[in-house]
Amino acid sequence: MASADVLARATALRREIEQHNYAYYVLDQPTIPDAEYDWLFRELQALETEYPELITPDSPTQRVGGKPLDGFAQVRHAVPMLSIRTETDTEASGAQAFDVRVRKELGLSEADPLVEYAAELKFDGLAINLRYEHGLLVQAATRGDGETGEDVTQNIRTLHCIPLRLQTEAPPAVLEVRGEVFMRRDDFERYNARQREAGKLTLVNPRNGAAGSIRQLDPAMAAQRPLSFFAYGLGDVQGWKDAPRTHGATLDALAGMSIPVCSERIIGSGAAVLVAFHDDIAARRDSLPFDIDGVVYKVNAYDLQRELGFLTREPRWAVAHKYPAQEQLTTVLGIEVQVGRTGALTPVARLAPVFVGGVTVTNATLHNQDEIDRKDVRVGDTVIVRRAGDVIPEVVAAVIERRPDPEPPRFNILEIYPVCPECGSHVVRLEGEAAVRCTGGLVCPAQRKQALLHFAGRRAMDIEGLGDKLVDQLVERGLVHTPADVYGLDLVTLAGLDRMAEKSAANLLAAIEASKATTLARFIFALGIRNVGETTAKDLARHFGSLDKLISAAEVDLLAVRDVGPIVAQSITQFFAEPHNLDVVNSLRAAGVHWPEFAGMSQSAGILTGQTLVLTGTLPTLTRESAKEMIEAAGGKVAGSVSKKTAYVVAGEEAGSKLTKAQELGVSILDEAGLLALLAPDNNNAQHRLDL
Ligand code: D41
């Protein structure tokens, strides 16, 4: 037998655990770390295992488990669960009409004061009746037809937010709490992510998640589902001392007994307050942590509610105003792709027009191939379409039961679109990427503006003045299709563009001309090869030394380059495998774009390792930057000032004090030819140096 001490300990543990539960699940403000909670829980479990007579129905250990049921028992509601008059109305006038009706029924004239209302959210879940007797949860039932529902006590017990015992000193003899079980969006997402990872079935939406879980015969399954609850009213009530006399006070009182109540509610007088609430919630609908259907207005005072009574099964003192549904069913007429600015092919379902989220939707995104596979959406399917707020409409799921017979084939983007619908370049899917992409980066009209802007960018070809406004015009007027066309522009054409004076046209032309002398690294970067940023471009330039070597490099050759992995290597080979891209590269070279080439890492690598060079003056052909790049490619460093440790000073025209300093210190001085000779692969001098 358990001693009085043990009994006291079990009682204390129970109370403490339920308090932490409430803080965690209802208030969302955990009071202790999970590990400590687990200790308390395990201590209680251990006590109850040793002394089974200690187990009480309100023990937190009784939330989980229980055997699967054969079916649900029928429950006759002590007080019928009415339904609520629901109006689909996106206008403020709905609240005004309700107020007019209420005032008329109550026989109020314009001279009479405003009626006090409560406004709250309309949750999109499953209505439930919780029966507490002397504070203990004894039964939970679904609404059913309002008269008779199903006994879902076992499942409801698994909801941590629902108290098994009311936290109050003097509980009413009977208190029935009515409310809605629902699933929060974050819980829904988390649950689905976990299921997906485990290769298990996912829920279509939070609503189905809530309803399906409660009507689940196996409580252990229900326990897995993260459900929430908010109370919206009362059923049978007996022996409640100082019972509240308004709806608002009732919800406050329930909250005081640890029943979850939504805080998004107001009390106010007259229709204007309801309109304001309606509009405020409509504006915030998508940022709420759960889906709602709409808002509910109720006459606040119970005596007025009684006076108003109900019509058939709907109280005259309450109304629900639904917002436009965010999900609808429709059929998939076809699946097409849209090519984005980065070349990603996004599958888009063409739909039979459907009114959802306040607009008529005819297209919805399918995101990518993985999503198509996961949702298994096929042409001809009936699908759930969702449009929430300003978010682009998406296909949530296919309704497999309504799939046409014979079954349409699975949809595979690469099979249907082996080439880009915009430019005919090959379409590929890179390892580890969700997106299928067009490889015609330089020629694809969908990618044209993006490609041009990138090409002209400061860190790429550095064509000053070729910004987005200009690129828009050039592309939209069909003057430029590929970056190579930039070099064919003339003064007359440019000066004819909007907001282009002759002076700025001339400046731009000069900038275009100047950009022809570039470096290999800049040129590679300018091509906009996927996954090839500025640093990778420099590494590639250094490594290969010439564009043709890069173009003909196989994947293994590319993998030898610093920081180049399989994905980058694949991006590069795929880019140059696309003939359209090679055409543009060749046109650019033909237009006079040039850069100094050298032997590349494989040959010049290490020639200057450990050596510091200083550049001074203007070299005849190399820019300072390309000279620096070549030196670095050979393993050398470029410093800003000359010292005894300087290996070489490379001097051009108008060299200044650095040259003098070098002469004073006896540092070797090279001109451009000397530098190039030093870097040439068959350079004896270099060999000699290396031996040092
Ligand atoms: O949030 C809800 N879904 C909600 C449902 C609510 N906030 N209030 C409601 N009020 C009532 C009355 C007026 C009958 C007490 C309701 C419901 N009924 C209701 N839900 C399902 C059927 C009826």
Side-chain angles (χ1 to χ4, degrees), residues 80-85 120-128 143 178-180 230-234 247 251 292-298 305 313-315 317-320:
M81 287 182 82
L82 299 177
S83 47
I84 186 161
R85 175 181 168 130
E120 61 199 30
L121 304 183
K122 183 171 191 301
F123 282 90
D124 196 7
L126 186 69
I128 292 285
R143 177 172 176 276
R178 290 176 177 176
E180 202 88 6
F230 277 138
Y232 66 69
L234 300 174
H247 179 67
L251 295 188
I292 55 164
D293 259 1
V295 289
V296 176
Y297 315 133
K298 294 173 180 173
Q305 287 187 5
R313 322 194 112 245
E314 294 171 352
W317 45 267
V319 70

Side-chain angles (χ1 to χ4, degrees), residues 121-124 281 285 288 290-294 323 326:
L121 304 183
K122 183 171 191 301
F123 282 90
D124 196 7
I281 298 297
R285 182 181 186 188
L288 293 174
F290 31 66
D291 286 350
I292 55 164
D293 259 1
Y323 293 129
Q326 293 179 317

